[in-house]
Amino acid sequence: TAIAVLPVAMLGLRRIADGRASGLPLLAAGYAALLLSHLPVALLASVTLLPAYTLWRGRRPAAIGGGMLGLALAAVYVVPALSLQQWISAAWLWSPFYRVEPWFFFTPSLWPEAATMDVIVRMAAAYALIAVAIALQARSLGFWVTLSLVCLMLVSGLIPWFWRLPGLSKVQFPWRLMTVVGFALITALCSTDFSKRRRPASWLLVAAVV
């Protein structure tokens, strides 16, 4: 559900950037739905995709207003979820399996589930190949490719201090940020002109599929 409603929030931001009145309620509804769907993904999108896009397209008060309104709409869930932590048996949620660090790409000896990480690393490699292919085709990194590559670096653990920021360790699995990577790459693919295909980009896309 979070993956499905994230584009709604982003469409709201896009319309706000374009100066359209429908942007604020759309952002509020999309962001509220994102919070109500999956708090870890909502948190990760809130510190990567949403602020990065807002800064890229130009800061507008309506973007902040829409986000705050969305938070208010979701308060019926978010406030209890954050304030009633002491009333649940959550000790097992912070066991080694649910800590961020063991899931980094370059520490295979710590992986809680090697089979799971094998799939995730392959997905990340495919995403990286797609990002490079788009950059070669467009002859530019562009915002969406840059965002996807930065997020892949975060997922892999190449920027470990990011996961020490307040609250981010509670997302449990860094690969939940792949939701943002997927959205960024789909947007980049849809925004790239492939009418004149460049051979290196085509081969990289084939390699990504493989």
Side-chain angles (χ1 to χ4, degrees):
T1 306
I3 294 171
V5 299
L6 179 59
V8 178
M10 291 304 299
L11 181 59
L13 272 182
R14 169 65 181 267
R15 291 187 175 183
I16 288 174
D18 292 340
R20 299 172 63 178
S22 61
L24 192 149
L26 194 61
L27 170 60
Y31 190 53
L34 183 63
L35 290 165
L36 292 167
S37 301
H38 200 269
L39 276 178
V41 170
L43 174 60
L44 290 170
S46 298
V47 298
T48 56
L49 174 61
L50 297 171
Y53 185 81
T54 301
L55 291 173
W56 177 54
R57 287 300 306 269
R59 287 168 287 182
R60 289 177 178 267
I64 298 174
M68 296 301 294
L69 181 57
L71 183 60
L73 290 172
V76 66
Y77 167 66
V78 174
V79 172
L82 298 181
S83 62
L84 301 178
Q85 295 279 314
Q86 70 272 24
W87 298 104
I88 62 174
S89 300
W92 65 277
L93 291 175
W94 315 122
S95 62
F97 184 88
Y98 293 101
R99 291 175 54 212
V100 169
E101 292 79 7
W103 297 97
F104 289 158
F105 290 4
F106 304 105
T107 54
S109 61
L110 300 178
W111 289 351
E113 287 186 356
T116 299
M117 285 304 298
D118 181 62
V119 173
I120 292 168
V121 170
R122 289 173 186 269
M123 288 177 61
Y127 285 170
L129 289 173
I130 293 171
V132 175
I134 295 171
L136 290 175
Q137 179 68 27
R139 293 184 176 179
S140 171
L141 278 176
F143 171 79
W144 295 110
V145 170
T146 301
L147 177 66
S148 65
L149 291 174
V150 170
C151 287
L152 282 174
M153 291 173 63
L154 295 175
V155 173
S156 70
L158 287 175
I159 311 176
W161 59 263
F162 172 80
W163 301 102
R164 301 189 192 108
L165 295 175
L168 288 181
S169 63
K170 292 187 177 182
V171 303
Q172 300 172 325
F173 310 118
W175 37 264
R176 282 175 163 160
L177 188 55
M178 298 278 266
T179 299
V180 172
V181 177
F183 175 83
L185 285 180
I186 290 172
T187 306
L189 282 169
C190 294
S191 305
T192 303
D193 181 9
F194 284 96
S195 59
K196 295 181 179 179
R197 297 179 183 176
R198 304 185 190 281
R199 184 169 297 178
S202 298
W203 280 114
L204 284 173
L205 289 175
V206 171
V209 172
V210 172

